[in-house]
Amino acid sequence: MPIHLELNITGMDCADCALTLEKGVGKLEGVTECRVNFATAKMNIGGVEGLLDEAEIEKYVSGMGYGVAEVSERPVILSGWRLAWKATRRPRNLLALIGMILVLSAFTAGWLGLPEPVQIGFFTIGGLVGMYYPARSGWMALRSGQGLDMNVLMTIAAVGAYAIGEYGEAATVILLFSLGEALEGFTMERARDSIRSLMLLAPPEATVIQSCMDCEEHLGRPLGSQTGNAQSDVLSKDPKGLYTGGPCPWCGRHEQVLPVEALSLGDLILVKPGERIPMDGVVCSGRSAVDQSPITGESIPVEKNIGAEVFAGAINQEGALEIEITHLAADNTLARLIHMVEEAQSQKTPVQRFVDRFARVYTPVVVIGAVLIAALPPLLFGQSFLDPPEGHGWLYRALAMLVIACPCALVIATPVTVVSAISAMARRGVLVKGGAFLESLGGVRVIAFDKTGTLTHGRPELTTVACIDECCHETRPRDTAVTCAHCNEMLALAAAVESRSNHPLARAISRAAQQRNLPGFEASEVEMLPGRGIRGLVAGKQITVGNHDLFHTDNGGFHVADCTLYLRRSDVTSRDFCERIEAEESAGQTVMIVGEDDELRGYITVSDPPRQSSQKALAALKQVGILRTVMLTGDNPNVAQAVGSALGVDDVRAGLLPEDKLSAVQALVKEFEQVAMVGDGINDAPALAAASLGIAMGGAGATQALETADVALMADDLTQLPVAIRLGRKALRTIRFNIWFALLIKAVFLAAAFFGLATMWMAVFADMGASLIVTLNGMRLLRGSQ
């Protein structure tokens, strides 16, 4: 039976280490699959039950000089000297430190004038101590089939230097390499901790409100006549009227602090002012403002009252809240966010995949070049193989080239930047699903927006109900509470079919009918007419609710194609009716016409005003280099144009069916290549998929947004989108700089080594220095979360 195991690997400091671990563990007995994510330091292992030995895996990992921790453990985020002290205690780093002390002792011995054998002894012992783990890792890399990794190259270089009498350089090179690896590991742990720290947002314990169950103090006590629900339940079980168990009617409810892992769905928890919410849930009692910025990035606290959804990790500010748990700790919004961010960090960008392929070719080519450089000049031109009295021989130059051949700086240039950028965005409420999407985000030139729920609030409210009867057609009432009986009947019929739809306009009609306490009708055979409306049978009659265009086609069933026919049951001409509708649309109202069988009953208008943040966000997008903004909507052109003009949208395209939106996005991609589509993540799925980058809105629909599109905005507004694009562009620039910087350093020192100008010390300083510089440069993006 297949089983799965996930482990945290501590102290993993290079991508080559991850690959060596992956291949080595993959060959252990019982292991069918092994994947190591260097960015998140996680190892996922698949195996056969009964054969997979976790202890053997941990022993192998420890033998490589790394640590193992259970994924379920709550992380402890260290900083400063504490993190450095923890890193020092790793066996690999501890041996490097001991070796460094011995090498310094060798130099001290030379300065004190001690005999040369003493210096050589210190160098030899120090080098051997420092070489243990690099040599062991290199051997395992060769055995696993990985080939020449940096540990192999450094070991060969150190042994070769020792063989030609360069004892000091041999020991120093291997120890500087180990020191550089330790510093890289230290900085990568800092980057990983930026996302691990999100796990600490939700408290480990919760205050649970419970009834006293099976109270020993009151067992057998007579129940009084004035019993509550709990007492009635007990009475129904015990005819004698004695308390025999269950909820205690005297003790009532009490509070108990429990670990979040011990909670169950439906449990009731209490969150006091100033406390963090420990679990996802729904407010059952109380009212308060909740700071959701740790989850959604929203800067303004959100009012929460009965029925409102709350997220684990958010901060309760003003009043006490009683919350019913809807998701367990392992499945709440924060846990899913962390899991998806870690998955995203493991997804390689196209640039990173290219660099990995390049590194696999680059290292063997340089090694072969080093062998030829060591052999050909002495063989063909009689030049010195070993070091002459002045300068360096060709063997020494070849060894220096081996040191420079390590592709560490190249390989680490992209992952550290991706980890930092994705972590920074997650802290601002922007979830990027992978490195490839981060790269796309940085290259976006044009952004298309859905209107309803994206640029607008997505909660339309009813503004007008007007039937075709004489009482309504001469004026257009704006007070929706003042309507005739026919209007109310029409609204009730429309609400019956719209109740089967989850479209924001449908919900507006349903809410209005409920607020007026109108009689409810059952609808059957309901049919969605995408981009146009909906229809179904209500009380034996076909009720159609849709936009103006629907009623000017045969598909609507009304055949009112030329606006010259008279409407039945009224002396209002269709031209008058259409003019009234067009006037409503010109005023920025969304109009839905209601039909009954082959007759028109009237129309309903709703208004969905733009979000206050939308105009600011669109202006900010221009500042970060977006060339063009486009609004794609199924609404009528008048309403769309009014919204677009108010927000400053460059291109407004209205009256679009879902397939029209898809075609529009495809055309934009063909013209501009890098195009993002922003929508609700559900209704705009085809258009989101067709875009170079699909961006879903979160907010109340954060759960759905997490599962759809390439990027999810956890907050229900667009204010973080310009920030995300700016950070994406910065990430691209950083990746390119890191790669070109690493290549330049390699090229300069390869040339210097060839001409005998570079020592092995200089080579290892250049290699490790370049790795540290690109790592620290990538980590600068973590400041984007501040």
Side-chain angles (χ1 to χ4, degrees):
M1 181 178 178
I3 59 173
H4 177 263
L5 179 66
E6 187 175 49
L7 300 173
N8 277 329
I9 308 299
T10 59
M12 189 163 54
D13 42 35
C14 66
D16 271 356
C17 307
L19 190 57
T20 301
L21 278 175
E22 184 175 289
K23 291 189 175 183
V25 172
K27 292 186 176 181
L28 296 178
E29 184 180 4
V31 177
T32 58
E33 179 188 16
C34 179
R35 290 184 296 109
V36 179
N37 183 344
F38 169 65
T40 60
K42 288 187 182 295
M43 176 184 287
N44 290 278
I45 305 163
V48 181
E49 187 175 6
L51 295 178
L52 183 65
D53 188 347
E54 183 176 350
E56 184 67 23
I57 294 172
E58 293 184 5
K59 181 180 178 181
Y60 182 90
V61 174
S62 299
M64 294 279 290
Y66 309 114
V68 179
E70 291 290 341
V71 174
S72 58
E73 293 179 4
R74 189 173 175 85
V76 178
I77 308 301
L78 302 177
S79 60
W81 67 269
R82 291 184 179 86
L83 183 60
W85 174 245
K86 180 183 177 182
T88 304
R89 289 184 297 167
R90 279 183 51 212
R92 189 183 184 105
N93 296 340
L94 186 59
L95 284 183
L97 182 61
I98 294 172
M100 190 65 69
I101 293 173
L102 290 169
V103 168
L104 290 175
S105 299
F107 285 116
T108 303
W111 180 71
L112 294 175
L114 296 179
E116 185 177 357
V118 175
Q119 296 181 54
I120 295 175
F122 276 122
F123 280 132
T124 302
I125 298 172
L128 290 174
V129 169
M131 191 187 296
Y132 175 75
Y133 277 108
R136 180 186 176 91
S137 299
W139 173 243
M140 289 183 174
L142 292 173
R143 286 183 60 189
S144 67
Q146 180 185 343
L148 297 172
D149 73 346
M150 65 184 69
N151 293 288
V152 176
L153 298 181
M154 285 297 179
T155 302
I156 293 174
V159 170
Y162 193 88
I164 61 175
E166 298 287 350
Y167 308 115
E169 290 199 34
T172 305
V173 162
I174 200 70
L175 289 170
L176 286 177
F177 167 71
S178 297
L179 179 62
E181 291 287 284
L183 291 175
E184 282 181 40
F186 176 82
T187 52
M188 276 303 297
E189 283 298 312
R190 291 283 301 273
R192 292 171 185 139
D193 283 347
S194 66
I195 191 62
R196 289 175 186 162
S197 62
L198 289 177
M199 297 175 67
L200 302 179
L201 292 177
E205 297 176 329
T207 302
V208 185
I209 301 175
Q210 295 179 329
S211 297
C212 181
M213 299 294 292
D214 301 329
C215 179
E216 295 183 2
E217 180 182 352
H218 298 111
L219 283 175
R221 181 173 177 175
L223 293 167
S225 58
Q226 302 296 324
T227 60
N229 291 336
Q231 298 173 353
S232 299
D233 292 339
V234 178
L235 277 172
S236 65
K237 298 176 183 178
D238 182 50
K240 296 180 181 180
L242 301 178
Y243 172 62
T244 59
C248 179
W250 293 279
C251 295
R253 302 192 309 173
H254 69 280
E255 299 174 8
Q256 183 179 4
V257 178
L258 295 175
V260 293
E261 292 81 10
L263 302 182
S264 303
L265 297 179
D267 283 352
L268 197 64
I269 59 176
L270 174 66
V271 182
K272 300 174 183 177
E275 293 182 344
R276 287 188 182 271
I277 298 173
M279 304 284 279
D280 281 9
V282 175
V283 177
C284 295
S285 177
R287 181 187 182 92
S288 180
V290 175
D291 178 8
Q292 298 185 154
S293 60
I295 310 300
T296 67
E298 296 169 283
S299 58
I300 300 175
V302 180
E303 286 292 327
K304 300 289 184 179
N305 48 33
I306 295 176
E309 184 180 14
V310 292
F311 304 123
I315 304 170
N316 182 27
Q317 293 194 332
E318 298 172 351
L321 296 175
E322 292 185 10
I323 299 169
E324 180 183 346
I325 296 174
T326 56
H327 292 85
L328 299 178
D331 189 42
N332 61 32
T333 300
L334 180 61
R336 292 197 302 274
L337 172 65
I338 294 170
H339 174 72
M340 290 185 178
V341 169
E342 290 180 337
E343 286 294 313
Q345 290 174 339
S346 69
Q347 305 299 318
K348 295 183 178 181
T349 67
V351 172
Q352 186 178 352
R353 287 193 291 269
F354 168 76
V355 169
D356 288 346
R357 290 194 300 268
F358 175 80
R360 284 196 293 269
V361 175
Y362 161 81
T363 302
V365 167
V366 174
V367 170
I368 293 172
V371 172
L372 294 177
I373 285 174
L376 293 182
L379 291 176
L380 299 180
F381 306 106
Q383 297 191 9
S384 176
F385 180 68
L386 300 176
D387 288 354
E390 294 183 0
H392 296 296
W394 288 100
L395 177 58
Y396 184 94
R397 300 182 193 190
L399 293 175
M401 291 185 68
L402 285 181
V403 175
I404 300 169
C406 292
C408 189
L410 274 175
V411 174
I412 205 172
T414 303
V416 68
T417 306
V418 171
V419 169
S420 300
I422 290 178
S423 298
M425 290 191 194
R427 288 184 168 275
R428 300 197 68 118
V430 180
L431 174 61
V432 182
K433 295 293 189 68
F437 304 127
L438 175 65
E439 191 171 320
S440 296
L441 187 63
V444 166
R445 302 174 63 198
V446 173
I447 301 182
F449 296 89
D450 177 46
K451 180 180 76 71
T452 304
T454 303
L455 295 173
T456 65
H457 286 281
R459 186 180 170 86
E461 295 296 337
L462 193 73
T463 53
T464 305
V465 180
C467 67
I468 62 172
D469 293 295
E470 186 175 351
C471 63
C472 290
H473 77 258
E474 293 187 5
T475 60
R476 289 181 287 110
R478 285 294 172 196
D479 183 357
T480 59
V482 181
T483 52
C484 67
H486 289 158
C487 288
N488 282 335
E489 181 186 8
M490 178 183 69
L491 180 59
L493 293 171
V497 292
E498 294 287 16
S499 65
R500 302 298 184 89
S501 172
N502 64 353
H503 194 279
L505 298 180
R507 291 196 292 268
I509 293 177
S510 298
R511 280 196 308 271
Q514 292 173 358
Q515 291 166 359
R516 298 184 185 203
N517 296 317
L518 299 180
F521 293 97
E522 289 291 332
S524 61
E525 300 182 23
V526 176
E527 177 188 2
M528 305 294 176
L529 306 173
R532 295 176 296 166
I534 188 173
R535 65 174 147 208
L537 292 179
V538 181
K541 298 179 181 180
Q542 180 171 274
I543 303 299
T544 305
V545 185
N547 58 27
H548 198 186
D549 291 340
L550 174 63
F551 288 83
H552 277 255
T553 65
D554 289 345
N555 291 331
F558 297 93
H559 314 290
V560 196
D562 56 8
C563 287
T564 59
L565 302 178
Y566 283 83
L567 297 178
R568 302 181 184 183
R569 299 177 54 188
S570 174
D571 59 357
V572 181
T573 65
S574 61
R575 181 173 297 280
D576 291 339
F577 187 77
C578 290
E579 288 176 354
R580 286 163 56 184
I581 290 174
E582 290 166 358
E584 294 280 8
E585 293 174 344
S586 298
Q589 303 294 307
T590 298
V591 179
M592 290 174 286
I593 301 174
V594 182
E596 178 182 318
D597 290 333
D598 59 350
E599 298 178 356
L600 293 177
R601 291 294 302 266
Y603 65 86
I604 300 168
T605 69
V606 297
S607 176
D608 184 18
R611 300 178 188 272
Q612 294 181 350
S613 61
S614 295
Q615 185 176 15
K616 180 181 177 182
L618 289 173
L621 287 172
K622 292 291 185 181
Q623 295 176 358
V624 299
I626 297 301
L627 302 178
R628 189 175 179 185
T629 55
V630 183
M631 185 171 76
L632 306 177
T633 178
D635 214 335
N636 72 77
N638 291 328
V639 174
Q641 195 60 51
V643 173
S645 299
L647 297 179
V649 179
D650 297 324
D651 184 1
V652 177
R653 305 184 188 186
L656 302 180
L657 300 176
E659 54 267 29
D660 298 327
K661 290 184 181 181
L662 175 61
S663 299
V665 170
Q666 290 172 335
L668 288 171
V669 171
K670 185 176 181 180
E671 181 178 358
F672 295 100
E673 294 185 357
Q674 293 297 325
V675 177
M677 172 68 190
V678 186
D680 58 15
I682 304 171
N683 297 327
D684 301 299
L688 287 170
S692 309
L693 187 73
I695 303 175
M697 294 288 285
T703 300
Q704 292 87 347
L706 280 170
E707 305 296 338
T708 58
D710 309 318
V711 176
L713 303 179
M714 300 294 293
D716 204 9
D717 64 68
L718 297 169
T719 54
Q720 295 300 332
L721 182 57
V723 179
I725 290 177
R726 186 183 296 112
L727 194 53
R729 297 197 194 290
K730 188 176 181 181
L732 272 185
R733 292 195 300 270
T734 302
I735 290 171
R736 289 171 182 148
F737 171 84
N738 284 350
I739 291 173
W740 283 110
F741 175 77
L743 287 173
L744 179 63
I745 291 294
K746 298 288 183 188
V748 168
F749 278 88
L750 280 173
F754 179 82
F755 290 106
L757 302 176
T759 65
M760 293 179 66
W761 291 26
M762 293 169 59
V764 74
F765 266 119
D767 182 69
M768 291 297 104
S771 298
L772 287 174
I773 288 172
V774 299
T775 300
L776 294 173
N777 190 41
M779 285 183 64
R780 288 189 308 116
L781 297 179
L782 287 173
R783 293 202 296 267
S785 62
Q786 300 176 353

